[in-house]
Amino acid sequence: MVEEVLVGLDCRSGRMYVDGTVGEGGHAAAILNRTAPDGKLWGLDRDPAVLKIAAGRLAPYTSRFRLFHRSYAQLGEILAETGEPAAAGILLDLGLSLQQLQRSGRGFSFQGDEPLDMRFNPEEPGQTAADLLNRATPAALEKIFHEYGEEPHARRYARLVVASRRQHPFRFTHQLVALVQEAQGPGRRRGERHPATRVFQALRIAVNRELEELALFLGEAPGWLLPGGRLAVISYHSLEDRLVKQRMQAWERAGVMRRLTRKPLAPSPGEVEQNPRARSAKLRVAEKIGK
Ligand SMILES: C[S@@+](CC[C@H](N)C(=O)[O-])C[C@H]1O[C@@H](n2cnc3c(N)ncnc32)[C@H](O)[C@@H]1O
């Protein structure tokens, strides 16, 4: 949804935009193109490995961009440190990038066999997915699988994890995939998602405290925008989307921000065909009131 984002953010030259989840820099490059010759972009990401990729991709834009190894929830600190009053537009494209899924070696995917880490920022001391599986109570695991994964077998999986970890503490993705497959049995219908999809998503959200970071960001975001500035958020999960939707409604009631999308925008069928991971994407945009 690149074009929808560029329009939603009202990208123009001479202004400063923030990509709070810069990833490999796809949206960032598009924003820098659209805001030529002198628009600026600040890109933030929690993952130092993807920031290196973004730095290479954005290098042709020389002095027009800066990258920060920080959470988007810390944007206020960056504004203060750099003396910028606020941004003309902020983008969040939540979730994880293709390179994290396929090449990070941190266990985001159930396709290969990798250490169960799942931290966006492996330099942070926080717990890994393996720590969580090996230490959490059955009730806590059930809550994670149920709430963050919308997994119908949450209780069963939580019990199986606890039974299994006594013999073999979780270390690698194949252990979790095998547990889910054994519990499910054979017979997945064609086109049906892999049974481990929801469990992996749930663990990633829990390990990275993704909903907490988003809530912190939404608590401050209007203050980080110039009057007339735009916020665009792409979410991939109903809990994220609900947080964004409810906060945008509250801002509108309080006269702080105006919603520009009453209903979220979805990717076109052509985009979903090219990139099946985009199928659950929802884009919401709001504008800060004031001149
Ligand atoms: C879907 S990707 C973004 C892709 C990017 N829009 C592009 O065009 O390449 C999501 C990115 O958000 C990052 N991320 C997740 N939570 C974050 C947070 N709290 N602060 C900053 N980055 C975060 C992930 O590390 C990942 O690189």
Side-chain angles (χ1 to χ4, degrees):
M1 283 193 281
V2 176
E3 187 55 33
E4 290 89 338
V5 165
L6 296 174
V7 172
L9 290 176
D10 189 22
C11 288
R12 297 183 198 199
S13 58
R15 297 177 170 184
M16 193 278 279
Y17 295 84
V18 171
D19 184 343
T21 52
V22 73
E24 287 135 62
H27 283 103
I31 293 170
L32 284 160
N33 276 335
R34 187 62 63 90
T35 58
D38 57 355
K40 285 194 242 160
L41 178 119
W42 287 356
L44 282 63
D45 208 290
R46 280 170 92 180
D47 186 337
V50 298
L51 277 174
K52 279 195 190 130
I53 300 173
R57 182 166 188 174
L58 301 179
Y61 302 95
T62 59
S63 59
R64 289 176 55 211
F65 77 95
R66 288 180 69 174
L67 296 177
F68 301 87
H69 182 207
R70 241 37 108 77
S71 167
Y72 54 66
Q74 296 167 303
L75 177 56
E77 291 170 19
I78 294 173
L79 291 172
E81 282 165 23
T82 55
E84 283 280 346
I90 304 175
L91 167 66
L92 296 189
D93 177 17
L94 301 167
L96 83 167
S97 75
L98 198 59
Q99 105 79 37
Q100 284 168 328
L101 187 71
Q102 294 179 341
R103 288 184 292 279
S104 70
R106 273 179 259 154
F108 290 110
S109 165
F110 44 79
Q111 306 278 354
D113 189 23
E114 298 174 352
L116 270 165
D117 185 327
M118 293 201 193
R119 286 170 300 168
F120 285 141
N121 183 3
E123 293 168 8
E124 263 171 25
Q127 63 179 351
T128 63
D131 294 336
L132 223 167
L133 287 168
N134 291 327
R135 292 178 195 159
T137 62
L141 286 171
E142 181 183 340
K143 191 164 184 271
I144 289 169
F145 297 154
H146 173 69
E147 285 187 11
Y148 301 161
E150 294 170 284
E151 171 52 64
H153 306 297
R155 177 167 300 175
R156 195 150 141 238
Y157 289 167
R159 285 187 184 148
L160 285 170
V161 165
V162 172
S164 170
R165 74 190 183 191
R166 287 198 199 107
Q167 268 121 45
H168 303 287
F170 284 90
R171 291 177 60 212
F172 291 97
T173 49
H174 80 264
Q175 295 172 273
L176 187 57
V177 174
L179 179 140
V180 170
Q181 271 170 341
E182 264 170 44
Q184 280 271 307
R188 182 156 47 115
R189 281 194 295 271
R190 245 190 106 187
E192 208 174 7
R193 290 199 304 177
H194 190 288
T197 310
R198 287 190 282 257
V199 168
F200 271 68
Q201 170 187 290
L203 280 174
R204 192 204 79 220
I205 292 176
V207 163
N208 294 293
R209 300 172 48 81
E210 291 180 38
L211 296 170
E212 290 88 339
E213 290 293 306
L214 180 60
L216 281 174
F217 170 87
L218 293 170
E220 304 281 343
W224 297 335
L225 284 166
L226 294 168
R230 303 272 184 93
L231 170 65
V233 184
I234 306 175
S235 57
Y236 297 86
H237 183 281
S238 58
L239 286 178
E240 289 168 352
D241 183 56
R242 197 175 316 144
L243 275 180
V244 176
K245 174 180 154 182
Q246 289 175 348
R247 191 53 82 126
M248 286 186 173
Q249 285 169 341
W251 287 333
E252 194 164 82
R253 282 196 299 274
V256 178
M257 306 262 298
R258 185 166 67 90
R259 282 177 299 161
L260 301 182
T261 46
R262 301 257 141 192
K263 292 236 161 75
L265 303 182
S268 65
E271 187 173 347
V272 175
E273 202 173 310
Q274 273 188 351
N275 173 18
R277 290 180 64 234
R279 66 182 175 271
S280 50
K282 287 183 176 166
L283 168 66
R284 294 186 187 269
V285 185
E287 180 181 70
K288 182 161 168 178
I289 291 170
K291 291 220 164 41

